[in-house]
Amino acid sequence: MIEKEDLPLFAEWFNKPEVTGEYNPLHQMSRTEAEKILENPNELKPFIIEKKDGSKIGFVAHFYVLHVAGKLLEIGYSLIPDERGKGYCTEAVLIMVDYLFLSRDVIRVQATTDVRNVGSQKVLEKAGFKKEGTIRKSILIRGDWRDAYLYSILREEWKVPKILTKATLQS
Ligand SMILES: CC(C)(COP(=O)(O)OP(=O)(O)OC[C@H]1O[C@@H](n2cnc3c(N)ncnc32)[C@H](O)[C@@H]1OP(=O)(O)O)[C@@H](O)C(=O)NCCC(=O)NCCS
């Protein structure tokens, strides 16, 4: 989970179209709203993606999707432009999926992506997600209602952790 000191950086990235890209809605999150993230653990939970050298290059976040059983989590992610195309997002999504299935009582993890966002679709497919279909006109991007693909990975498809272990989580 994000540290308090990284909340201003997260809010800056979240609000920056260069980071969230052309296929995400434009966001407006104030620093005060960002600080509330730590108080509302059931809402958006961001994690900063950090390289081995300590540099911070983006974020991957999870949030609950409204559902009567409350067992569905959705993820979203963005990388700063200079660090894209190097495999980092795929690795971050693999780690997030391990983390969620190891630590949460969820049956599926899902993601949605604008149908034009080929990079994001490749990340999900490489991380083991399956495309379920098209959710028509479900995201408002730059004034247009756009179609998105819904992807998911089920607990039984994930089977075992790919990168994390239970021991890593407890340490
Ligand atoms: C989409 C995004 C997260 C991908 O992250 P990334 O770290 O560049 O992805 P990876 O390096 O792990 O790439 C995974 C695969 O996708 C491919 N890929 C990445 N960006 C691509 C693009 N724009 N077009 C086509 N393929 C792309 C890579 O080549 C790689 O495939 P390969 O292993 O067969 O070569 C990144 O471009 C981004 O932050 N975009 C803006 C925010 C965004 O769109 N977020 C997702 C919203 S749903």
Side-chain angles (χ1 to χ4, degrees), residues 107-150:
I107 53 166
R108 63 181 260 142
V109 176
Q110 67 180 47
T112 58
T113 164
D114 186 307
V115 296
R116 299 167 297 170
N117 196 346
V118 178
S120 179
Q121 289 154 38
K122 280 197 163 183
V123 164
L124 293 168
E125 282 159 18
K126 290 188 80 169
F129 285 65
K130 291 203 167 71
K131 193 200 279 182
E132 297 187 330
T134 308
I135 330 169
R136 296 179 300 158
K137 295 205 171 185
S138 56
I139 24 173
L140 183 62
I141 297 181
R142 318 295 193 263
D144 285 325
W145 283 99
R146 292 283 176 183
D147 294 352
Y149 290 137
L150 174 63

Side-chain angles (χ1 to χ4, degrees), residues 19-21 24 77-79 84-90 112-113 117-120 122-123 126:
V19 178
T20 54
N24 258 314
Y77 36 79
S78 287
L79 254 66
R84 293 180 191 161
K86 301 177 186 175
Y88 293 135
C89 195
T90 304
T112 58
T113 164
N117 196 346
V118 178
S120 179
K122 280 197 163 183
V123 164
K126 290 188 80 169

